Amino acid sequence: MTQAGGRPAVATEAVDPRDPRGLRSDAPLLDAWLRFTEQAQAGLMTPMAVPGHKQRQDLTGAVTGGDAPLYGALDTIKHADVLLADAEDRAARLWGADWCRFSVAGSTHGNQALALAVGSPGQEVIVTRCLHRSLLLGLVLAGLRPVWVQPERHPSGLPAAVAVGTVREALASHPGACAVFLGDPSYVGTTGDLAGHARAAHEAGVPLIVDAAWAAHLGFHPGLPPHAIAAGADAMVTSAHKALPAYTQGALVLARTGRLDPARLDRAFEATHTTSPAGTITASIDAARALLARDGTALCARLLRLAAAARQRLAGVPGVGVLDGAGVEPTKLVVLLAGAGAHGNAVEADLIAAGMPVEMADRDTIIPILTIADDETAVDRFTEVLVAAIERHRGAPRRPVPSPAWTVTPQMALPPREAFFAPNETVGADAAAGRISAELVAPYPPGVPVLAPGEIITAEALAALRAAQAEGGRIAYAADPTLATFQVITAAR
Ligand SMILES: Cc1ncc(COP(=O)(O)O)c(C=O)c1O
């Protein structure tokens, strides 16, 4: 049979617009979500259970549309765990892990769960000082005492990975340490020798745990670094909502159970997770996993191509740099502006006005996030708008000043947990220098603390925080975000 025009007719299966790639056959939570929401939209449900919106949109409007809890919607409260376990099992197999849980509370929750999964209060752990604030609060929750290791410095001034030798030295001088916690890739996409770190940790008899929040796509194309589990880590947390097409807050916690106890991992995970996980979020993690399993290589190939093209275009703009080369995750674009003299916040404002918000902007840096959801049109357009904005704000080249998040040299006076619960008082900024911080203070993004509970508030830290704020940076988690006052541990009388 031929169509008019002589082309052979192709028998096409009807595409389900709600599941255009046909992922549901390999995604039990997605399948359940599609079934439930179809029934709800058809008005076939009169739920006498939470959520309180009862699938109506005539009260608070469309904002609750598509919301379906895991328990009681995706399946009965008595059976939903079976579906969830099936979906988590499929993810564990895809990442080569023995254990996997889906979190609806981001890598924030995953980091805290993993901190609660090792050792006991008072024990030491080796931790990168380039850590996200969520892991620092994990140390508070778990009562673990950090032995800080500092990352190397990339020639741009941004943080590189922690050297394996640095971790080996820390393990040798702290033989009681019960785990190594690293972040890889870093917020700026720098990556290190995770296999070497795994060897170092395992030779010392402890697990390697990796915050891979930005790296859910790693390992799915030969042009990308392997993911942390493949490199030998014992556990990793990754945000499905960052690198994959999943709902905001969706994250995966994955582990191998040779050095970590699966029952303890479960207890730690449940300790701080909601009892009412959003089925919509968990189903979207399941769908993203099914997509990666089937089309991951092709989608990552496109992402690699798009990132390479954007890198090349941006590197051709006078004065503009892009982090590149060995030790940089190839799909991460970190655009360096100092040589072009443009202020990152002004460039960001133009991008927002053009409907293109980016992940991070400070005076000297712009970090857009490219994912497997981007295509040529989007990335080409973004790159041109970015170049035009840089040209509009071009100025005299200047020396870059790295965010204080990257330059902090902590002086720990008390372990984080002790400081968190210690009596504290509020003092003026000038009186704060030399005192012990009771609070965590971090420019956000990137959310790496400049001050952590228990650390001495140094004049350098104060000056760097003020400078970041004066350049338009957001200072988060401080009780007084104007930095006029600080919360410090009450001095002994
Ligand atoms: C390195 C790192 N870890 C953890 C997190 C927390 O991730 P989430 O927003 O998924 O809770 C972030 C957030 O940006 C991060 O940058």
Side-chain angles (χ1 to χ4, degrees):
M1 191 172 92
T2 54
Q3 289 175 323
R7 273 181 292 125
V10 179
T12 49
E13 273 178 35
V15 172
D16 177 354
R18 302 181 75 226
D19 179 27
R21 286 179 180 249
L23 298 174
R24 69 190 298 173
S25 60
D26 175 37
L29 292 175
L30 171 65
D31 182 53
W33 182 88
L34 286 166
R35 265 188 287 113
F36 176 83
T37 50
E38 202 166 24
Q39 277 190 309
Q41 279 163 17
L44 300 175
M45 304 289 303
T46 311
M48 286 298 144
V50 295
H53 56 65
K54 302 287 182 105
Q55 303 300 324
R56 287 176 58 171
Q57 290 181 34
D58 59 329
L59 298 167
T60 46
V63 71
T64 56
D67 179 42
L70 172 67
Y71 297 109
L74 268 51
D75 208 332
T76 62
I77 291 181
K78 295 186 179 62
H79 194 253
D81 275 339
V82 177
L83 274 190
L84 177 65
D86 181 7
E88 290 173 338
D89 234 45
R90 290 172 197 239
R93 270 183 270 130
L94 183 64
W95 269 274
D98 308 316
W99 178 94
C100 173
R101 297 300 309 269
F102 291 177
S103 175
V104 300
S107 287
T108 297
H109 166 241
N111 274 329
Q112 294 171 359
L114 289 173
L116 287 166
V118 298
S120 48
Q123 267 193 294
E124 287 185 324
V125 284
I126 313 298
V127 192
T128 172
R129 190 56 180 78
C130 210
L131 81 177
H132 185 254
R133 45 85 54 177
S134 58
L135 178 55
L136 201 133
L137 272 303
L139 302 181
V140 169
L141 291 171
L144 296 169
R145 293 172 177 243
V147 174
W148 298 122
V149 284
Q150 292 288 8
E152 300 295 297
R153 202 138 296 283
H154 186 269
S156 61
L158 295 172
V162 177
V164 175
T166 307
V167 168
R168 279 192 183 278
E169 274 170 34
L171 283 164
S173 48
H174 295 268
C178 64
V180 175
F181 284 87
L182 297 176
D184 199 284
S186 70
Y187 184 83
V188 294
T190 43
T191 64
D193 177 8
L194 281 184
H197 281 297
R199 277 193 300 277
H202 297 165
E203 280 165 29
V206 301
L208 169 66
I209 295 175
V210 179
D211 175 351
W214 294 97
H217 60 304
L218 292 197
F220 290 94
H221 187 281
L224 292 168
H227 57 70
I229 295 284
D234 298 275
M236 70 178 246
V237 56
T238 189
S239 295
H241 73 94
K242 292 194 195 301
L244 303 181
Y247 248 86
T248 299
Q249 294 179 207
L252 296 119
V253 192
L254 295 137
R256 305 186 82 157
T257 52
R259 290 175 190 81
L260 294 167
D261 169 11
R264 169 79 180 270
L265 281 163
D266 272 324
R267 281 203 299 282
F269 181 92
E270 293 296 350
T272 46
H273 203 221
T274 174
T275 47
S276 313
T280 314
I281 299 177
T282 53
S284 78
I285 301 171
D286 193 26
R289 187 271 316 148
L291 179 69
L292 259 190
R294 204 185 59 191
D295 300 335
T297 310
L299 290 169
C300 288
R302 179 178 69 176
L303 174 59
L304 280 158
R305 255 195 338 269
L306 296 178
R311 227 183 209 96
Q312 198 179 10
R313 170 75 177 97
L314 291 165
V317 179
V320 171
V322 188
L323 227 55
D324 206 356
V328 177
E329 201 272 88
T331 70
K332 190 83 171 190
L333 276 190
V334 176
V335 185
L336 308 171
L337 297 172
H343 196 301
N345 291 355
V347 173
E348 179 192 34
D350 285 8
L351 290 169
I352 291 171
M356 296 178 171
V358 289
E359 158 65 22
M360 181 196 167
D362 63 16
R363 192 190 71 161
D364 295 331
T365 326
I366 294 271
I367 306 184
I369 300 297
L370 269 49
T371 76
I372 59 174
D374 286 306
D375 61 13
E376 275 82 0
T377 311
V379 177
D380 284 356
R381 195 167 150 253
F382 169 74
T383 312
E384 291 315 320
V385 172
L386 173 59
V387 171
I390 293 171
E391 292 303 347
R392 235 179 340 269
H393 298 289
R394 184 176 280 285
R398 54 172 188 262
R399 215 170 51 81
V401 177
S403 159
W406 310 138
T407 55
V408 57
T409 315
Q411 294 177 31
M412 196 172 78
L414 284 177
R417 183 181 174 87
E418 249 171 77
F420 187 90
F421 292 110
N424 60 78
E425 60 188 337
T426 302
V427 297
D430 290 341
R435 299 286 297 272
I436 303 172
S437 182
E439 57 185 345
L440 186 152
V441 183
Y444 213 114
V448 173
V450 170
L451 289 173
E455 290 179 356
I456 306 279
I457 303 175
T458 61
E460 295 74 39
L462 283 176
L465 282 168
R466 285 192 187 119
Q469 189 183 46
E471 290 293 348
R474 168 188 165 220
I475 306 296
Y477 308 113
D480 175 0
T482 69
L483 302 178
T485 61
F486 284 82
Q487 305 238 292
V488 299
I489 305 297
T490 306
R493 292 175 204 286

